[in-house]
Amino acid sequence: MIKCLAIDDEPLALQQMVAYIKKVPFLELAAQCQSAIEARQFMEHDTVDAIFCDINMPDLNGMDFVKSLDVPPLIVFTTAYSEYAVEGFKVNAVDYLLKPFGMQDFMRAALRLKERMGYKNEGEMEQRAETTALDDDVVFLKTDYRVVKVAISDIRYVEAMSEYLKVWVEGAPKPIVTLLSMKKMVEWLPSYFMRIHRSYIINVRKIQEVNKNRVIMDADTFLPIGEMYKDAFQAFLEKNFLGK
């Protein structure tokens, strides 16, 4: 349900807007206000997902009211004056209803609200998921028919293998093989990972030694530095080099 606030200083127009809101199954009327000042008082102690707001109101017009909100919800403006349309879209309004409007026009605006609300919720869920993974230093990798939890800081290096990647993890005798591209892995890994070859991404915290054109990760692992990655890797070394 999309929780809505209806604002209009004309009682009949407000009554019509409220009736339309109640006819739409996915809209829920939180409150109805006859002025932007009354609406502001309501929003001091409650929140809504969307506002249907008339623009031309005394004391405080709808446009200025929306601009005054720190985090405005989704907005649908209503007005009898078409010259407000461009200004309405400048504040990222979802839709603009020119009075007098009927149920068909209102339903169009409601569907746009629903669509925008869906994108917003998906974006918030993705952001929460990404933040959790990074904050907890955990990633889940699909391998064969299993999903394996891996601490990002334990990843030593990543090796490209055709369409798959081998993810070598500290303390594991074998790599985790997962269907993923190098490009995607480079974009996702944190800044202490670096691509040194078209086939290798390394955790720079796990480097034991650099010998000419090779990075030594341990006694048995020598990884080549590719020609196109050499300058960037050299710059990294110089930035972290202590001594002359």
Side-chain angles (χ1 to χ4, degrees), residues 3-241:
K3 192 176 174 184
C4 301
L5 174 63
I7 312 169
D8 200 308
D9 65 308
E10 299 175 10
L12 289 178
L14 182 59
Q15 185 180 344
Q16 182 190 50
M17 200 188 316
V18 167
Y20 286 163
I21 289 171
K22 289 180 177 179
K23 286 181 181 179
V24 180
F26 54 83
L27 297 183
E28 175 190 349
L29 182 68
Q32 51 183 300
C33 301
Q34 285 192 259
S35 72
I37 293 172
E38 184 184 346
R40 179 183 281 170
Q41 291 170 347
F42 171 81
M43 292 191 70
E44 285 176 358
H45 59 81
D46 209 339
T47 59
V48 294
D49 301 311
I51 296 176
F52 289 88
C53 184
D54 185 35
I55 292 178
N56 192 32
M57 294 186 289
D59 298 324
L60 179 64
N61 71 46
M63 192 72 66
D64 290 337
F65 164 65
V66 169
K67 289 177 180 177
S68 73
L69 298 175
D70 292 332
V71 185
L74 300 176
I75 305 294
V76 174
F77 282 121
T78 69
T79 186
Y81 302 93
S82 59
E83 62 266 26
Y84 285 116
V86 174
E87 192 177 354
F89 286 114
K90 281 182 181 178
V91 295
N92 201 28
V94 174
D95 208 345
Y96 176 93
L97 292 171
L98 186 62
K99 295 178 181 179
F101 54 86
M103 184 62 197
Q104 186 176 352
D105 292 326
F106 184 86
M107 193 66 196
R108 179 201 70 214
L111 288 170
R112 286 183 178 175
L113 269 181
K114 185 180 181 182
E115 183 181 22
R116 186 79 70 87
M117 193 73 188
Y119 288 144
K120 181 184 176 193
N121 289 342
E122 286 175 14
E124 287 175 353
M125 285 189 289
E126 287 173 6
Q127 188 177 25
R128 283 198 296 270
E130 289 172 6
T131 303
T132 301
L134 291 172
D135 288 349
D136 295 344
D137 188 39
V138 167
V139 63
F140 291 89
L141 296 175
K142 187 176 181 181
T143 177
D144 297 326
Y145 299 101
R146 300 176 298 132
V147 176
V148 181
K149 184 179 78 170
V150 178
I152 300 167
S153 57
D154 284 345
I155 297 174
R156 298 174 60 238
Y157 66 96
V158 179
E159 179 182 359
M161 184 184 68
S162 187
E163 296 178 349
Y164 292 81
L165 297 180
K166 290 181 178 179
V167 180
W168 295 86
V169 180
E170 196 78 53
K174 296 191 301 182
I176 298 166
V177 180
T178 186
L179 181 60
L180 199 62
S181 70
M182 286 289 273
K183 181 177 182 294
K184 188 73 174 176
M185 185 62 90
V186 168
E187 290 173 353
W188 184 84
L189 285 170
S191 59
Y192 56 87
F193 284 83
M194 190 172 192
R195 192 168 187 176
I196 60 165
H197 188 277
R198 67 191 198 83
S199 297
Y200 295 102
I201 303 168
I202 62 169
N203 182 341
V204 297
R205 296 173 178 175
K206 305 292 184 181
I207 295 173
Q208 287 192 3
E209 187 179 329
V210 179
N211 190 333
K212 296 183 179 178
N213 291 326
R214 297 186 304 175
V215 174
I216 302 171
M217 304 300 287
D218 57 46
D220 301 313
T221 309
F222 302 78
L223 305 180
I225 302 169
E227 192 65 34
M228 67 181 295
Y229 302 95
K230 189 179 294 183
D231 290 345
F233 187 69
Q234 185 61 38
F236 159 76
L237 290 178
E238 290 174 359
K239 182 179 178 182
N240 293 278
F241 185 74

